[in-house]
């Protein structure tokens, strides 16, 4: 994490490591069939891109695109995917976008928190209404610093509560 609380440097490192590993996979394995390539991607590359993503999940569009670009480039090189756009490749391969997977992880974590399967470390407040259960982020004190306010706004609690 940089001094301003941004995760861009970390995300750049993650993208670099995943890209290097993707290149290694395509240089070592000759078989480009979807079954083999998807297995290698899911076992070797995707864990690098998703490890602890609830903590560092990107907010900036450039960071989201950089992470997504690893999967975009990998799927483009699989047999039978030439000429298809990214979303068509994902549908044909049965994959979700990495951004959507991170959102899904957030929702699953909030669900587990609500059912007390994990500790409520985000201090989410659950409120039952006639429409269902709402997750409300804890009230954050405002210190007047816009940088600090942005860090709090972009943290897990408000983002997860908004998705819930």
């Amino acid at each position: 994490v940089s001094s301003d609380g941004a995760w861009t440097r970390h995300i750049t490192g993650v993208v670099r490591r995943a890209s290097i590993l993707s290149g290694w996979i395509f240089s070592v394995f000759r078989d480009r069939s979807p079954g083999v390539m998807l297995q290698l991607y899911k076992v070797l590359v995707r864990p690098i891109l998703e490890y602890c993503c609830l903590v560092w999940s990107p907010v900036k569009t450039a960071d989201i695109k950089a992470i997504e670009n690893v999967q975009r480039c990998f799927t483009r090189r699989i047999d039978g995917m030439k000429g298809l756009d990214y979303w068509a490749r994902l549908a044909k391969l049965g994959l979700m976008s990495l951004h959507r997977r991170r959102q899904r992880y957030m929702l699953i974590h909030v669900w587990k928190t609500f059912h007390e399967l994990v500790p409520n470390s985000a201090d989410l407040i659950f409120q039952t209404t006639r429409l269902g259960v709402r997750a409300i982020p804890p009230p954050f004190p405002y210190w007047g610093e816009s940088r600090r306010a942005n860090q709090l706004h972009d943290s897990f609690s408000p983002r997860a509560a908004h998705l819930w």
Side-chain angles (χ1 to χ4, degrees), residues 1-10 55-56 151:
V1 179
S2 63
S3 60
D4 66 347
W7 289 91
T8 302
R9 189 179 322 150
H10 172 76
V55 175
W56 58 263
Q151 288 173 353

Side-chain angles (χ1 to χ4, degrees), residues 76-163:
R76 187 182 304 131
R77 297 175 73 181
I78 297 175
D79 283 346
M81 299 299 134
K82 293 217 188 291
L84 297 175
D85 72 335
Y86 178 55
W87 301 105
R89 289 194 305 267
L90 291 182
K92 190 171 181 177
L93 295 169
L95 296 173
M96 288 193 299
S97 74
L98 295 171
H99 181 64
R100 183 68 183 135
R101 286 177 61 89
R102 286 188 302 276
Q103 289 178 333
R104 185 173 176 226
Y105 293 149
M106 280 187 192
L107 288 172
I108 290 169
H109 190 75
V110 171
W111 182 88
K112 286 181 175 182
T113 303
F114 174 70
H115 290 284
E116 298 178 352
L117 300 173
V118 296
N120 189 359
S121 56
D123 295 328
L124 291 171
I125 302 162
F126 294 99
Q127 183 181 59
T128 305
T129 66
R130 64 183 178 87
L131 300 175
V133 177
R134 289 183 51 205
I136 302 168
F140 291 117
Y142 179 72
W143 289 295
E145 247 185 277
S146 64
R147 178 174 54 97
R148 179 73 176 147
N150 285 340
Q151 288 173 353
L152 293 173
H153 181 267
D154 294 341
S155 66
F156 174 79
S157 295
R159 292 177 65 201
H162 176 72
L163 284 173

Side-chain angles (χ1 to χ4, degrees), residues 55-73:
V55 175
W56 58 263
S57 185
V59 177
K60 296 178 184 174
T61 305
D63 292 340
I64 294 169
K65 286 182 179 179
I67 294 169
E68 208 69 46
N69 197 43
V70 176
Q71 183 167 277
R72 181 177 287 112
C73 292

